[in-house]
Amino acid sequence: MPENKASGISPLPWLQLNQYLRPKKQKIMTQAEILTLIDEELFTDNIKTEVGEQKITWTDHSGMENSVSPHQIAINNDGVIAWWQCNKAGKEEVRIRLKEKKVITWKPSINTLGQPLFRDGLLYFYENYLIIKYKDTHYQRLFIFNIKTLKNEEIIINALTIQVKIIGNELFLGGLYHDEEFIKITIYPDHFEKESIDEVYLHQRNITFD
């Protein structure tokens, strides 16, 4: 589970809501305010929603239910909001509201249709990088999306289930089993670097996947 080791890093996406813009000492937005803001963005797309305490729901033109929940939302310290829109037919997408209030849409690359994807998923900001993990068929996938360049890269790892640990600007990925791969990604302002590691390295640094 992500760990709070640096300014602007929150341990979980829904805790990011409670630390909104803390370094700038601006008003902290509540969960309800975040859901209302997302609801307003959906309204501009002529989507009629129902807003509850824990979820926004609506029915699309094909009759399928869509939803956004607090654990499917991430916010960075500049006020950029990202949310995963779940769809019961599996036609899901990530929407990102930039500082200039422009909303962009990223459609997950998938090999299967008709199944929801965000089971055991993750949306997490490190500065201008959005980390996106989701399930596709029988394995998980992870992408890093740069909200400045609007470019994304899939991190290919030999593992069916991807464990994630975030410490400062370092992202550690690993499978559940000893014969699966471990990767460390170091994130810099304008790029990130990948390197293969092993369990010995993780033990030396006392890093465990919670």
Side-chain angles (χ1 to χ4, degrees), residues 27-39:
K27 180 180 179 295
I28 297 175
M29 296 183 71
T30 66
Q31 176 176 298
E33 289 172 329
I34 294 296
L35 290 176
T36 298
L37 185 58
I38 293 173
D39 182 59

Side-chain angles (χ1 to χ4, degrees), residues 75-89:
I75 304 177
N76 75 2
N77 288 325
D78 291 324
V80 177
I81 304 174
W83 66 92
W84 185 287
Q85 292 187 183
C86 283
N87 177 281
K88 283 200 170 180

